[in-house]
């Protein structure tokens, strides 16, 4: 399957996430049909999975019950916008996205970079909202570069380094 409906796929992922975060209700709102390549959709779903599990673990610690909302909308210029929001404890005062963090946040940022996504974190009066914006279409990337990119990602994650470089779009 070359392309799938990202909204339908995220809805299935959210149902699964409800099973692995039993103290949190995970709601998924996907009012639009947005198609993208299966590979990109999987990367986006992995980013959402990491953000939801982080929200359950850190936003609602010690099994505290809570709600996590995932919302997909179409953005400007052929992009998808995914929001992962909770009403939990919120981010620590010293949290800066892309600066250190645990393995889960490093993995989130590396997966987002592979999907050419931009991730931002917004502190709310109660809780946190992470917003992921990614293009629906993939930039041009030679298959050998993708393999090298995967090897580079693994080395960075194992060593705990910052974000690795990614394949950039080619001008035609």
């Amino acid at each position: 399957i070359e392309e799938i409906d990202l909204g339908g796929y995220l809805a299935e992922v959210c149902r699964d996430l409800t099973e692995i975060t039993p103290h949190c209700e995970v709601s998924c709102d996907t009012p639009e049909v947005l198609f993208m390549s299966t590979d990109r959709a999987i990367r986006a779903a992995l980013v959402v999975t990491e953000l939801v599990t982080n929200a359950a673990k850190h936003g609602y610690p010690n099994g505290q019950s809570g709600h996590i909302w995932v919302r997909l909308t179409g953005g400007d210029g052929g992009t998808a916008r995914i929001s992962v929001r909770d009403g939990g404890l919120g981010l620590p005062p010293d949290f800066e996205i892309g600066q250190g963090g645990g393995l889960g946040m490093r993995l989130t940022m590396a997966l987002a970079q592979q999907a050419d996504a931009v991730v931002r974190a917004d502190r709310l009066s109660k809780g946190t909202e992470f917003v992921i914006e990614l293009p629906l279409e993939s930039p041009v990337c030679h298959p050998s570069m993708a393999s090298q990119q995967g090897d580079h990602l693994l080395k960075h994650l194992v060593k705990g380094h910052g974000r690795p470089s990614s394949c950039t779009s080619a001008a035609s």
Side-chain angles (χ1 to χ4, degrees), residues 47 51 54-55 81-86 90-99 105 108-109 112 117-133 163:
V47 172
L51 291 173
N54 279 348
R81 183 175 194 228
I82 305 168
S83 164
V84 178
R85 181 174 57 92
D86 68 76
L91 294 170
D94 61 343
F95 177 86
E96 287 188 45
I97 198 157
Q99 302 297 316
M105 189 51 65
T108 297
M109 297 309 291
V118 175
V119 180
R120 77 170 195 269
D122 296 327
R123 288 176 167 83
L124 307 175
S125 60
K126 186 172 182 184
T128 304
E129 179 177 29
F130 282 88
V131 178
I132 308 143
E133 294 198 43
R163 296 170 29 168

Side-chain angles (χ1 to χ4, degrees), residues 128-151:
T128 304
E129 179 177 29
F130 282 88
V131 178
I132 308 143
E133 294 198 43
L134 69 156
L136 293 172
E137 292 188 25
S138 179
V140 178
C141 185
H142 190 274
S144 66
M145 288 180 74
S147 174
Q148 292 168 359
Q149 187 178 22
D151 292 343

Side-chain angles (χ1 to χ4, degrees), residues 32-107:
E32 299 180 47
V33 175
L34 298 172
F35 284 93
M36 71 171 35
S37 75
T38 303
D39 289 345
R40 291 177 65 69
I42 289 170
R43 286 187 192 116
L46 287 170
V47 172
V48 168
T49 298
E50 283 297 321
L51 291 173
V52 168
T53 56
N54 279 348
K57 179 180 177 182
H58 301 292
Y60 303 107
N62 304 318
Q64 177 187 2
S65 64
H67 201 122
I68 301 168
W69 297 268
V70 176
R71 180 170 171 75
L72 169 69
T73 56
D76 296 332
T79 62
R81 183 175 194 228
I82 305 168
S83 164
V84 178
R85 181 174 57 92
D86 68 76
L89 296 177
L91 294 170
D94 61 343
F95 177 86
E96 287 188 45
I97 198 157
Q99 302 297 316
L103 179 60
M105 189 51 65
R106 288 195 315 265
L107 180 59

